[in-house]
Amino acid sequence: MTPAKSSLKNTRAAVIVIGVLVSQLGPAAGNPSRYEYFRILMGTKMRIVLYAESQEEAREAAAAAFLRIQQLDEIMSDYNPDSELMKLCREAYQAARPVSADLFRVLEQSLRFSALSRGAFDITVGPVVDLWREARRHKRLPDEEKLEQARRCVGYKRIVLNAENRSVRLRLPCMKLDLGGIGQGYAADQALAVLAARGIRSALVDAGGDIAMSAAPPDRSGWRVALQKTAPGVEADAEDLTLSDCGVTNSGDTEQFVELEGIRYSHIIDPETGWALRDSASVTVIAPDATTADALATALSVLPPNRGLRLADSQPGVAALIVRRSGEGLTKHVSRRMRQYLEIR
Ligand code: AMP
Ligand code: MG
């Protein structure tokens, strides 16, 4: 999350794994017009495409949606020591701390995806992520002892939420929460909700690769999203999907990796070992909302492909494409619903 360029997550802004192709043609008379806006927020390039009756309406709606994202960044950033999240990490060991409705909701969702993925998705990886960020900066593998120490601070079951008074308690003093695997998806969903509340029916919010979209553009059957079927840059075999009222996201190691001693390490960590992933080339998830797509894409990067596909198939409206890298090249694993999207029998 957020403004620093060094963030492993943030470099994803450069990965156009999912390019959204929207017609540049003007609308038919009487239809709302298409407007597009960009802003750098959460350390990544944010894009809003929306259909509105007037430029004024469009501009004001987009400004409100961007403001919502900015507010969420102030809550969830792990680079800003004054963010609500970072303050919580410093204080919540002493005693349970009350938090904002947004932070509580993201934490609740995070724990839900941790439980669903049996810990493959785990926002308590913060101390381990810090060591891998350092490794990336210094181009040196993390010290094994430090890694082991950091790993002992990981474990989503050590986050205690109390919905009655909306408070959070952390069971260990060394815990650090990292919302990099879910925060942008949540921000995209929330920005889309702001647009909907202003009467914008048809919009798409792309929060640096985590995309939330509402109804199809006027006179179209959906938003056209280019899905890269293998790791980007390896093979040009993108396929256009037509989507609406859903979220879509991609987790990949194409831009966000560090190569050490000839091995490519992803920005995603296996919470069980504390090691950065080495074989996950790309995971694309379509889900009912962008929060779900974001969290599941991270989880499915960690899980063995067969378990990942089972998890995807068990969730309503979820489709997944998992691409793994090995000595022999790339292997694709396609979930049931993704087969339907790709029309594979
Ligand atoms: P994404 O690009 O959505 O897959 O998120 C990756 C980011 O989430 C990383 O840069 C870390 O900040 C954080 N992260 C890394 N590993 C995990 C994990 N296993 N579970 C949850 N978040 C993670
Ligand atoms: Mg994610």
Side-chain angles (χ1 to χ4, degrees):
M1 313 282 313
T2 216
K5 292 246 159 45
S6 57
S7 161
L8 298 183
K9 166 100 179 173
N10 296 341
T11 48
R12 186 167 66 185
V15 192
I16 314 293
V17 178
I18 301 166
V20 179
L21 311 170
V22 187
S23 164
Q24 299 294 327
L25 296 175
N31 272 345
S33 301
R34 176 184 183 274
Y35 298 90
E36 185 169 9
Y37 301 90
F38 294 92
R39 197 74 68 83
I40 301 288
L41 286 169
M42 293 182 147
T44 190
K45 190 171 173 182
M46 302 273 170
R47 180 157 83 115
I48 293 179
V49 183
L50 61 84
Y51 286 79
E53 297 295 338
S54 72
Q55 187 172 21
E56 198 186 355
E57 183 194 12
R59 204 184 322 116
E60 283 174 8
F66 283 133
L67 183 64
R68 178 82 172 107
I69 296 178
Q70 197 179 327
Q71 287 163 348
L72 287 172
D73 190 33
E74 281 160 23
I75 292 173
M76 301 189 291
S77 169
D78 61 326
Y79 277 90
N80 173 5
D82 296 326
S83 72
E84 190 186 358
L85 179 71
M86 287 302 104
K87 278 192 204 144
L88 178 74
C89 293
R90 287 195 298 271
E91 296 171 357
Y93 172 65
Q94 309 293 349
R97 296 279 163 182
V99 296
S100 65
D102 276 313
L103 187 51
F104 197 82
R105 210 174 312 145
V106 180
L107 294 177
E108 257 179 347
Q109 288 286 318
S110 298
L111 293 189
R112 190 167 81 78
F113 290 112
S114 293
L116 268 178
S117 66
R118 304 248 175 114
F121 182 85
D122 191 332
I123 58 168
T124 65
V125 290
V128 177
V129 167
D130 283 348
L131 290 178
W132 283 97
R133 282 185 181 154
E134 222 175 276
R136 182 180 160 124
R137 256 194 315 273
H138 300 307
K139 295 244 171 257
R140 204 170 42 219
L141 277 173
D143 179 72
E144 295 233 6
E145 208 168 299
K146 279 192 192 165
L147 205 55
E148 183 48 34
Q149 258 172 21
R151 209 188 51 79
R152 284 195 220 117
C153 307
V154 175
Y156 69 93
K157 290 182 181 161
R158 292 158 170 163
I159 303 175
V160 185
L161 300 185
N162 183 345
E164 262 162 45
N165 58 3
R166 224 169 59 202
S167 73
V168 182
R169 173 102 205 249
L170 302 178
R171 286 198 190 278
L172 292 176
C174 60
M175 286 171 77
K176 186 179 172 196
L177 309 184
D178 177 341
L179 295 173
I182 190 169
Q184 283 175 322
Y186 182 76
D189 283 334
Q190 291 302 311
L192 197 68
V194 166
L195 298 174
R198 286 174 165 260
I200 308 278
R201 289 186 54 247
S202 181
L204 176 149
V205 180
D206 180 353
D210 296 299
I211 300 172
M213 58 197 112
S214 50
D219 303 329
R220 299 182 70 106
S221 55
W223 299 89
R224 274 170 59 206
V225 175
L227 174 85
Q228 198 83 35
K229 286 195 286 180
T230 57
V234 176
E235 223 180 290
D237 66 347
E239 177 159 328
D240 282 357
L241 301 181
T242 304
L243 303 172
S244 57
D245 293 304
C246 68
V248 54
T249 197
N250 175 272
S251 282
D253 72 354
T254 314
E255 293 280 324
Q256 303 181 75
F257 67 91
V258 56
E259 202 164 300
L260 300 168
E261 298 167 16
I263 296 172
R264 179 196 281 248
Y265 293 93
S266 157
H267 66 305
I268 300 174
I269 309 295
D270 182 342
E272 208 172 291
T273 63
W275 276 76
L277 304 183
R278 302 201 263 188
D279 62 344
S280 178
S282 160
V283 173
T284 303
V285 173
I286 303 170
D289 56 74
T291 308
T292 305
D294 191 3
L296 285 183
T298 307
L300 266 53
S301 301
V302 176
L303 287 171
N306 58 341
R307 280 186 57 199
L309 292 184
R310 239 183 292 140
L311 172 53
D313 285 339
S314 75
Q315 298 303 300
V318 171
L321 170 67
I322 301 171
V323 184
R324 286 292 144 92
R325 190 189 305 282
S326 72
E328 285 93 66
L330 298 170
T331 319
K332 284 187 240 177
H333 307 268
V334 188
S335 81
R336 206 175 57 229
R337 264 179 228 97
M338 190 63 93
R339 281 178 186 278
Q340 289 162 1
Y341 278 117
L342 299 173
E343 288 170 20
I344 304 173
R345 301 280 143 228

